[in-house]
Amino acid sequence: MAQGILDVVKLSDPTGKILNERTLENGLVIQKVSVPLGVIAIIYESRPNVTSDAATLCIKSGNT
């Protein structure tokens, strides 16, 4: 379980990345930025590592 958490910690931060950007003819800049969804609901089978993996992914992505 600890190795799974450490693997997620090594990933780059997914929030705040600019996914797409363009400038309109009038000079308005439009950006598509990755943000947390907010609240995540997870349905899973009860294996010991799933809870820690799910919690780690939610924390890493800024969700609750």
Side-chain angles (χ1 to χ4, degrees):
M1 285 191 285
Q3 186 59 47
I5 292 172
L6 293 174
D7 291 342
V8 172
V9 170
K10 292 177 187 174
L11 297 173
S12 64
D13 188 10
T15 58
K17 288 185 178 179
I18 298 174
L19 304 174
N20 191 3
E21 181 177 351
R22 68 180 192 168
T23 304
L24 300 179
E25 293 176 6
N26 64 0
L28 181 66
V29 178
I30 298 179
Q31 293 180 333
K32 183 177 182 180
V33 180
S34 64
V35 296
L37 292 173
V39 177
I40 302 295
I42 300 171
I43 300 173
Y44 60 90
E45 59 187 64
S46 58
R47 293 181 305 188
N49 66 323
V50 175
T51 302
S52 63
D53 290 346
T56 304
L57 287 169
C58 287
I59 293 169
K60 180 73 173 185
S61 61
N63 293 289
T64 58

